[in-house]
Structure formats: C-alpha cells, structure tokens
Amino acid sequence: MEIMDSAAPTHVAHRDNHTHRDVNGGWLRPAVFGAMDGLVSNLALMTGVAGGSVAPGTIVLTGLAGLAAGAFSMAAGEYTSVASQRELVQAELDVERAELRAHPKDELDELAALYVSRGVEPELARQVAEQLSRDPEQALEIHAREELGIDPSDLPSPAVAAISSFGSFALGAILPVLPYLLGATALWPAVLLALVGLFACGAVVARVTARSWWFSGLRQLALGGAAAGVTYILGTLFGTAIG
C-alpha cells in the first residue's frame, strides 16, 4: 500500500489551476472606476455645453474646469471617507486591546469558543487559542480578524486613496478635452476618443469580473454614450430656451 508523503510538492495541474481572481479589486478596481467616472462625467458635461452651440474655447474651459473640480472633489471625498473609516477601526482596536489587557481569560475563552463553533474539537480549539494568545499583538490581530473582519496591519492610507482618486479621475477626464487641446474645433473627435476610452476601461474591468472583455467594454461604452447623448439634447434644449 502506497503511503502519501505529506511533504510532497503540490501537483503541477492543481498548482497551475488553483488561482482566483482578485475579488477585492486591489488597486485596479478603484483606479479604473475613477477613470471611468472622470470620462463619463466630463464627457457629459462637455457635450451638454456643446449642445448650447457655444464656441470651442468655452467647451475647452468647461472641460478643464470639470476635470479640476471633479478630481479635487474625488480626492477630498476619498481622503475624508478613508480617514474616517481608519479612525473608526483604530477606535475599535483600542477597545479590543483594552479588553485583552483587562480580561485575558475571557478573551481566550471567546476565541476558543469561536473555533469550536467552526468545527474544531474543544480541546484542540483551546490549545490553538492559548498558543495564539501568547503574543499580545498577535492576539489582537487574530481577534480583530475574527470579530471585526479587519487586518490591523493592512489598513488603507487616506493620502494614497486621495492621490490615486485624483490621478485616475483626472486621467479619464482629460481624454474628451485632449482633441481640443491638440487643435480640434468640432465635438466629434472628443466624443470618439472618450468612447474608445470607455470601451478600454470596461474591458479592463473584466479582469475583476466574470464577464468577457468585449461585453464589459460595450456595456460601458453604451452607458457613457447614453449619458453624453442625453446631456447633449438637454444642452440643446436649454440653449434654445435661454437664447
């Protein structure tokens, strides 16, 4: 009878196929969606103004103003949101740290009971909880993960979130402005470049979803195109009414 070696290396087929998508999105998701937001909002803003039959210079100024306003707004909002979330997490960690110092036995019992509820034998659960609780910082990390669902060593940075949001939004928002900055006087080059950018962003998003790249690309192109079309019609109507 052949005895399996527990130290044997993982089978090649299993190792090669046992990979998963980045379900949290990592940096890719917020960066791509920030660029999409900049693209759609600035394209819609510029087409709405263009619908009012204004001069190209006015459209360029509108696009640049939309880029600056949107990027700073995104950065400020993201900074405040992440900073507030981080402060809340730190406050909860302080509570947990105080509990570990004041009631170490109760916290150990709590951790052991948690492992028991997940199917570990009571005696083994107790041993695991005792071993993990020897190091106060490790105990804090384990309790934070199990009770709060957070990793104390991997908290997001408000500054990084703000800078990345600013950059990704500005990158998307500059696309519809770019043809005008390069000498275009008509709206269609800006719309065409923006739609290509929307398709590209949608295709990249497929990396963190189960959809095909062409489906995601076409979906984003359709949504962005619809937004631009509606705002152009509204701009035309409002321009006529005001004029």
Side-chain angles (χ1 to χ4, degrees):
M1 182 178 182
E2 183 180 359
I3 300 176
M4 298 298 293
D5 183 4
S6 60
T10 305
H11 193 278
V12 174
H14 175 74
R15 184 179 67 243
D16 292 344
N17 293 317
H18 198 70
T19 57
H20 300 281
R21 293 183 180 89
D22 180 6
V23 295
N24 292 321
W27 63 268
L28 179 63
R29 181 170 179 169
V32 172
F33 277 95
M36 265 193 217
D37 191 9
L39 254 172
V40 174
S41 61
N42 219 28
L43 176 62
L45 178 63
M46 291 173 63
T47 53
V49 172
S53 300
V54 299
T58 303
I59 300 175
V60 175
L61 180 60
T62 300
L64 292 175
L67 184 157
F72 280 112
S73 176
M74 285 283 292
E78 196 70 17
Y79 184 92
T80 302
S81 174
V82 173
S84 299
Q85 181 66 23
R86 189 183 178 95
E87 290 164 2
L88 174 61
V89 169
Q90 292 289 2
E92 290 301 315
L93 289 175
D94 288 342
V95 171
E96 191 64 34
R97 187 178 287 107
E99 286 296 314
L100 284 167
R101 290 172 179 169
H103 309 286
K105 184 178 182 304
D106 292 339
E107 290 294 314
L108 192 150
D109 292 341
E110 186 179 277
L111 189 59
L114 178 63
Y115 290 136
V116 170
S117 70
R118 293 186 176 179
V120 181
E121 292 293 330
E123 184 177 349
L124 178 58
R126 183 76 183 185
Q127 292 175 357
V128 172
E130 288 177 349
Q131 187 170 353
L132 292 175
S133 298
R134 290 173 185 170
D135 181 356
E137 287 304 312
Q138 179 177 256
L140 175 64
E141 183 175 333
I142 296 297
H143 279 272
R145 287 182 175 180
E146 298 293 350
E147 297 177 27
L148 304 175
I150 59 174
D151 183 354
S153 63
D154 191 29
L155 298 180
S157 166
V160 171
I163 293 171
S164 61
S165 295
F166 182 96
S168 60
F169 185 96
L171 182 63
I174 195 62
L175 281 184
V177 185
L178 197 57
Y180 283 101
L181 297 178
L182 295 177
T185 57
L187 180 64
W188 68 265
V191 173
L192 181 61
L193 182 59
L195 293 180
V196 170
L198 285 169
F199 181 86
C201 284
V204 172
V205 168
R207 289 190 58 184
V208 291
T209 68
R211 292 289 187 179
S212 60
W213 64 270
W214 59 266
F215 177 87
S216 296
L218 289 176
R219 178 174 60 184
Q220 193 57 41
L221 187 151
L223 292 172
V230 170
T231 53
Y232 182 85
I233 293 173
L234 291 175
T236 301
L237 295 175
F238 293 151
T240 302
I242 294 172

